[in-house]
Every structure is written in structure tokens, then in C-alpha cells.
Amino acid sequence: MDARPLPGGIGRASALKLSYSTFQKTSRVLAAISYALAQDYGVEKELLDVAKGRTSSYLAEIEYIPKVASRSWCWAPEMREAVSALSETCLPSS
């Protein structure tokens, strides 16, 4: 266990824990869904190859967040396509 005292009063440690666990848990769920979808379409090895090419965590790439935010509006069609692909399998789409 890595205890990190935080200055600034009660609640800051809880906020940090919640912030990190939100990222950690949702990213694992998204990874599981991504691999399940890739497996259903027979491209799980290729997805793993792409993932292994990444060397850092999105959570650590904070300079990338504004770029992502500024263009996230254009992801809607791709996300609808993902919902459609998930619906074609036995995976949850919502």
C-alpha cells in the first residue's frame, strides 16, 4: 500500500481515490468489451498487436486531453457504428 497524505482538508484523498478508480474500472470494462467484440469478428490478435504498440496510459497523457475534447464531437458516427456491431453480437450495446 502506498499511503499519500494530502494537504487541504478532509475529502481530498477520497476524491483522488474516486477519480483514479473511475478511470481504472471503466477502462478495464471498455478493454473487455473491445476484446470481446474483436473476438467475435476474429481480429483479437490484431487488436492485441495494436494495444502492445502503446507504451503509456491515456490517463498519463494529459496534454492530449484538450485535443481529444476539441474533436470528440466527430466520434458520434463511429460510436453508433460500435453500438451496431455490438448489437450484432451477444455483447451489451448500452
Side-chain angles (χ1 to χ4, degrees):
M1 175 172 274
D2 182 18
R4 296 180 184 197
L6 297 177
I10 295 173
R12 289 181 44 91
S14 293
L16 175 59
K17 178 182 179 276
L18 180 60
S19 298
Y20 184 73
S21 67
T22 297
F23 169 78
Q24 182 185 29
K25 289 175 176 66
T26 56
S27 62
R28 290 182 189 275
V29 168
L30 291 172
I33 291 171
S34 296
Y35 277 101
L37 183 61
Q39 185 177 27
D40 281 358
Y41 285 96
V43 293
E44 66 272 20
K45 182 193 175 306
E46 291 79 1
L47 179 60
L48 184 57
D49 290 344
V50 169
K52 285 183 176 180
R54 299 285 308 167
T55 59
S56 64
S57 167
Y58 291 132
L59 189 57
E61 297 175 0
I62 58 172
E63 68 282 348
Y64 194 65
I65 293 172
K67 287 198 269 184
V68 169
S70 70
R71 66 175 196 246
S72 62
W73 63 270
C74 68
W75 297 344
E78 186 178 7
M79 294 299 100
R80 284 192 287 275
E81 188 177 341
V83 168
S84 177
L86 289 165
S87 296
E88 292 174 11
T89 66
C90 295
L91 300 169
S93 60
S94 60

